[in-house]
């Protein structure tokens, strides 16, 4: 097995262990008991939400009676040391490190943004206003740390190893909501127009109110696509109850189809720029 980035590697090991467990006939509970871990720990490892420790991996491979070549391959994969992720220096909310790991290893990000402009396209002042509005009780220092993190995240659109392709369907509500006040929102619109017009790997399509009801009304979502076509799809949902990751084929297929439908309903790239320019003129 070739070396992988940290997030893709974690997911790959988890899938391999799940396959081995199911082949062995052991339940999640039995696997947990075999290595002195809870069933929830085994589930998180299999779903790629938690790193497996070497001692745990060896114990699971023993319990599953894995073939020698499989054991060697998985141990070598786990032992491969990738470059430390830049975001590890930040104290991030639960599961956000999982998302940014997926984002960092994706080559395309397909997004539907419902309430606010997507993080990768925000100005600093707009991003600060969003953080303050969504976390009103957070200390100022925590807000500034998260702001620094989100601004650094935007480098994924300019990375030397191949800039991320960002395809955003933006609900019209994002254009009118005066996050941070009138001046802040106008500056954000100007930045959004500039990104849409001048950055070749950024696609922005506006979904106007006039299009009526659609599948995206249930909430915003993000679909990372990976360079390796065999890497299973995942859908990220940012909800009030926490960050959710959908990996079952029926779920990822549903959101894949939803994003395609939303793009079909939305204005094309040139119409979207004209629409945003009109909103900018009308905001007072």
């Amino acid at each position: 097995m070739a070396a992988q980035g940290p997030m893709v590697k974690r997911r790959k090991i988890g899938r391999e262990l799940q396959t081995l467990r199911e082949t062995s006939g052991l339940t999640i509970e039995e696997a947990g008991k075999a290595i002195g871990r809870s069933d929830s720990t085994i589930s998180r490892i299999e779903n790629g939400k938690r790193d497996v420790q070497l001692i745990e991996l060896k114990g699971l491979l023993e319990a599953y009676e894995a073939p020698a070549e499989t054991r060697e391959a998985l141990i070598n994969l786990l032992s491969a040391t990738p470059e430390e992720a830049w975001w590890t220096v930040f104290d991030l909310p639960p599961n956000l490190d999982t998302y940014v790991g997926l984002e960092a290893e994706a080559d395309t990000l397909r997004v539907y943004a419902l309430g606010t402009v997507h993080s990768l396209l925000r100005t600093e002042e707009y991003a600060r206003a969003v953080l303050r509005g969504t976390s009103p009780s957070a200390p100022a220092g925590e807000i500034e740390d998260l702001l620094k993190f989100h601004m650094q995240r935007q480098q994924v659109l300019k990375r030397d190893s191949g800039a991320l392709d960002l395809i955003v369907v933006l609900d019209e509500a994002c254009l009118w909501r005066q996050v941070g006040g009138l001046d802040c929102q106008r500056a954000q619109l100007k930045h959004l127009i500039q990104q849409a017009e001048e950055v070749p790997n950024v696609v922005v399509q506006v979904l106007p109110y006039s299009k009526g009801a659609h599948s995206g009304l249930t909430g915003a979502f993000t679909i990372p696509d990976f360079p390796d076509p065999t890497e299973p799809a995942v859908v990220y949902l940012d909800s009030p109850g926490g960050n959710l990751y959908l990996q079952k084929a029926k779920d990822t297929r549903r959101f894949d189809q939803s994003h395609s439908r939303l793009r079909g309903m939305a204005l094309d790239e040139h119409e979207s720029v004209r629409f945003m320019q009109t909103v900018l003129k009308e905001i007072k």
Side-chain angles (χ1 to χ4, degrees):
M1 297 180 185
Q4 305 285 334
M7 191 60 232
V8 169
K9 181 176 78 169
R10 185 196 296 178
R11 295 181 73 209
K12 183 183 288 289
I13 292 174
R15 290 196 305 276
E16 293 284 346
L17 287 174
Q18 181 178 10
T19 299
L20 288 169
R21 177 182 60 76
E22 292 172 346
T23 300
S24 74
L26 293 181
T27 64
I28 287 180
E29 292 79 5
E30 290 169 337
K33 288 179 181 178
I35 64 167
R37 298 291 187 269
S38 67
D39 54 347
S40 62
T41 294
I42 301 300
S43 178
R44 287 176 60 79
I45 289 172
E46 291 185 353
N47 289 326
K49 296 179 180 178
R50 176 192 184 280
D51 285 317
V52 63
Q53 303 301 311
L54 181 59
I55 191 172
E56 296 170 333
L57 177 60
K58 289 181 176 179
L60 290 172
L61 293 172
E62 182 69 27
Y64 301 156
E65 299 181 354
E69 61 272 18
T70 301
R71 298 187 191 202
E72 182 181 3
L74 283 174
I75 290 171
N76 287 341
L77 178 58
L78 179 64
S79 301
T81 306
E83 183 179 347
E84 185 176 15
W86 61 264
W87 57 89
T88 57
V89 300
F90 293 94
D91 184 17
L92 300 179
N95 285 337
L96 184 54
D97 62 332
T98 299
Y99 169 75
V100 75
L102 292 169
E103 181 180 270
E105 295 179 39
D107 60 0
T108 303
L109 212 62
R110 290 178 289 154
V111 175
Y112 171 64
L114 178 59
T116 57
V117 173
H118 188 263
S119 296
L120 294 179
L121 297 175
R122 291 174 183 169
T123 66
E124 184 172 326
E125 285 306 309
Y126 183 96
R128 180 181 285 109
V130 170
L131 290 169
R132 284 176 175 166
T134 55
S135 302
S137 60
E142 181 179 319
I143 294 293
E144 290 305 308
D145 284 345
L146 279 174
L147 177 65
K148 183 178 179 181
F149 160 74
H150 285 296
M151 291 297 99
Q152 192 165 340
R153 262 181 69 202
Q154 295 183 1
Q155 294 302 310
V156 76
L157 297 174
K158 307 172 185 176
R159 62 190 178 194
D160 295 335
S161 58
L164 178 76
D165 288 326
L166 179 63
I167 304 171
V168 179
V169 177
L170 197 67
D171 192 273
E172 184 179 344
C174 303
L175 306 180
W176 291 103
R177 180 169 287 108
Q178 292 186 19
V179 175
L182 180 60
D183 290 342
C184 179
Q185 184 65 7
R186 288 180 62 84
Q188 175 60 64
L189 277 171
K190 290 177 182 178
H191 177 70
L192 195 57
I193 292 167
Q194 181 266 330
Q195 293 284 292
E197 285 189 311
E198 300 179 13
V199 182
N201 53 305
V202 171
V203 172
V204 178
Q205 291 183 249
V206 175
L207 185 57
Y209 292 144
S210 60
K211 296 295 183 177
H214 53 77
S215 60
L217 290 177
T218 54
F221 61 88
T222 300
I223 307 172
D225 296 316
F226 302 98
D228 182 354
T230 65
E231 181 66 20
V234 60
V235 177
Y236 168 77
L237 305 175
D238 188 2
S239 71
N243 304 327
L244 302 177
Y245 300 90
L246 306 180
Q247 301 186 63
K248 292 182 179 179
K250 66 176 183 179
D251 293 325
T252 59
R253 184 167 53 249
R254 174 164 54 92
F255 280 93
D256 179 78
Q257 294 170 346
S258 177
H259 195 268
S260 294
R261 284 195 296 268
L262 292 170
R263 287 198 72 186
M265 294 177 68
L267 304 175
D268 68 27
E269 296 174 63
H270 299 295
E271 292 170 333
S272 294
V273 167
R274 289 195 293 270
F275 192 96
M276 290 187 287
Q277 290 170 335
T278 298
V279 173
L280 180 60
K281 292 175 181 177
E282 293 183 8
I283 284 183
K284 298 179 180 180

